[in-house]
Amino acid sequence: MRASTGIPAQGYARRRRQLMRMAGDDAILVLPSSPERVRSRDTHYPYRQDSDLWYLTGFAEPEAVLVLVPGRRHGEALLFCRERDPEREGWDGPRAGPEGAVESFGMDDAYPIDDLDDILPGLLEGRTRVYYHFGRDTEFDLKLIGWLNRVRAQVRLGAQPPHEFLELGHLLDELRLFKSRDELKLMRRAAKISVQAHEAAMRAVRPGMFEYELQAELERVFRAGDAQPAYESIVGAGANACVLHYRANRGQVRDGDLVLVDAGAEYRGYAADITRTFPANGRFSREQRALHDLVCAAQSAALAQARPGVAYEAGHDAAVATLAEGLLRLGLLKGRLEKVIADGQYKRYYRHKTGHWLGLDVHDVGDYRIDGESRLLEPGMVFTIEPGLYVPADDTTVPARWRGIGIRIEDDVAITAEGHEVLTDGLARGADEIEAFMAAR
Ligand code: GLY
Ligand code: MN
Ligand code: MN
């Protein structure tokens, strides 16, 4: 039996068919599973399937290779995987085996992974183009070259080796960028669990706590929802919030600090990505509120650009314009608005972009620009909107009261035919909402 992934077997079959249609009949596509990684001597990091293989099969086991051979008469979708082994399964849990790959995962045919070496050269022979993700797994890159060389060695006997090697992502990323109805359901679920986790952290916070205690609150809710962190949770109190990828989470939360929490659940492979910044004692100071209001306004400005036909980059441009205008108004920057934007002076306090595609990977695949121009938004695209402001603790160009404040507000947005849907709605966002939520704890 296949564990439920939230995507029906026909869904995977449809994705594979679409990909093969794009690749054409003289192509072959090769997708290995993620390798297992040692964490310490004989124990491994938690296993996470390669997102591309997951997208095309829902197959969760390591030591697997999907080979798609469009138009092949004896079967187009082939999976190489571990054989059943009662002794090993007694240690590590059940395996599908090649039989299960056909019966439960809808493969046309399946073989033991140990036979890959013998079978793959024969599948490559006669195909013109190989689609593969070059450079992701060096060990597998070398194996593939070895199999190609085996075909090349047979040329005088009439073998025809492939002679075009193409980046698989070129086709597959474009498919993955547009989320289906089933995928959106899973993303809503990931978002909902993440909203609940942020609420738990906002409820739990008290001055004197440690950042890791808030991380524990978040991740307790993730696990209770059958999810896990989509990326390492960021919990930064006070000036730690200014470190964009802060992950130590070991600091103590002081009275008067803001706490920045950037954490999202992964559910059935799909990520949510939320940031909230809230006061440890439940009340924003005047400066904290001024900057929080400004980031909130920047997020609204970006969100107003989230609809079909608008350039993806319009959201970032709107956020930057709002932030720059506010920084001038508050006196953190000086000069003319146009110049502050054109010269990038705002980057002193806003160093990152306003978002990224979201899906099976938290920074999901898909081109942002096409032919040098920002691509236009279309229904089914999902991305984050996450403006922020970070005033370094040692920034002596501004009065001391502004220093060490770091704020980011991040939500997840799906483009619909009419406009957009905020997947992470319902979580207190503005300063008033956050204070009201915390007062009611
Ligand atoms: N949590 C990573 C990001 O916001 O991009
Ligand atoms: Mn993000
Ligand atoms: Mn984030």
Side-chain angles (χ1 to χ4, degrees), residues 30 120 124 130 132 134 140-148:
V30 182
L120 207 71
L124 291 168
V130 181
Y132 170 71
F134 295 94
F140 200 89
D141 291 351
L142 292 176
K143 282 190 195 166
L144 183 60
I145 292 167
W147 295 319
L148 286 165

Side-chain angles (χ1 to χ4, degrees), residues 4 10 15 24 37-38 89 92 98 147 166 186 193 218 230 242 301 309 335 357 370 378 412 423 433 439:
S4 169
Q10 314 88 277
R15 293 170 179 180
R37 297 267 184 229
V38 172
E89 289 178 54
D92 300 326
W147 295 319
L166 293 138
L186 296 172
I193 295 165
L218 293 156
C242 297
W357 305 130
I370 293 175
E378 296 175 59
D412 304 343
L423 303 178
E433 284 175 330

Side-chain angles (χ1 to χ4, degrees), residues 2-12 14-15 54-55 57-59 105 180-187 189 226 267-270 360:
R2 183 171 76 94
S4 169
T5 61
I7 306 287
Q10 314 88 277
Y12 294 110
R14 193 176 324 119
R15 293 170 179 180
W54 182 253
Y55 180 80
T57 62
F59 193 77
F105 290 85
S180 68
R181 205 149 21 118
D182 288 331
E183 289 182 291
L184 284 169
K185 267 193 213 159
L186 296 172
M187 295 196 73
R189 178 96 198 125
D226 195 11
Y267 183 75
R268 303 291 182 261
Y270 288 86
L360 287 173

Side-chain angles (χ1 to χ4, degrees), residues 157-366:
L157 306 176
Q160 298 185 18
H163 53 80
E164 280 183 62
F165 302 93
L166 293 138
E167 174 49 43
L168 174 65
H170 196 64
L171 305 182
L172 189 48
D173 294 359
E174 211 43 33
L175 283 183
R176 280 181 50 191
L177 178 58
F178 296 91
K179 275 66 179 177
S180 68
R181 205 149 21 118
D182 288 331
E183 289 182 291
L184 284 169
K185 267 193 213 159
L186 296 172
M187 295 196 73
R188 278 188 205 104
R189 178 96 198 125
K192 186 163 184 202
I193 295 165
S194 308
V195 164
Q196 290 167 345
H198 276 258
E199 287 178 343
M202 256 186 237
R203 260 188 222 107
V205 69
R206 299 285 184 282
M209 282 179 83
F210 285 86
E211 292 163 348
Y212 51 76
E213 294 180 271
L214 293 175
Q215 179 182 2
E217 278 301 307
L218 293 156
E219 294 178 11
R220 176 182 61 75
V221 177
F222 291 168
R223 289 305 291 139
D226 195 11
Q228 59 197 343
Y231 52 92
E232 283 187 273
S233 306
I234 297 171
V235 182
N240 290 341
C242 297
V243 180
L244 294 182
H245 286 169
Y246 179 75
R247 285 171 310 245
N249 298 353
R250 255 182 241 119
Q252 194 165 19
V253 179
R254 291 166 314 171
D255 200 0
D257 276 352
L258 287 182
V259 184
L260 183 152
V261 173
D262 182 345
E266 178 181 302
Y267 183 75
R268 303 291 182 261
Y270 288 86
D273 184 5
I274 302 182
T275 308
R276 286 294 183 270
T277 312
F278 47 85
N281 62 17
R283 303 286 298 181
F284 286 88
S285 75
R286 191 146 35 133
E287 287 74 21
Q288 289 168 347
R289 178 179 275 265
L291 292 185
H292 196 278
D293 285 351
L294 181 49
V295 175
C296 218
Q299 202 202 27
S300 299
L303 190 59
Q305 301 300 320
R307 58 181 191 281
V310 175
Y312 170 78
E313 284 171 16
H316 178 65
D317 295 343
V320 164
T322 305
L323 292 174
E325 187 276 321
L327 288 167
L328 285 167
R329 181 166 36 82
L330 296 171
L332 279 90
L333 289 178
K334 304 215 172 354
R336 275 186 27 247
L337 178 62
E338 299 72 34
K339 196 161 159 54
V340 161
I341 295 174
D343 297 354
Q345 286 167 49
Y346 67 87
K347 289 184 186 162
R348 180 180 193 127
Y349 301 117
Y350 183 43
R351 301 199 297 278
H352 57 81
K353 287 281 185 181
T354 305
H356 49 82
W357 305 130
L358 184 70
L360 287 173
D361 294 306
V362 64
H363 297 160
D364 208 28
V365 293

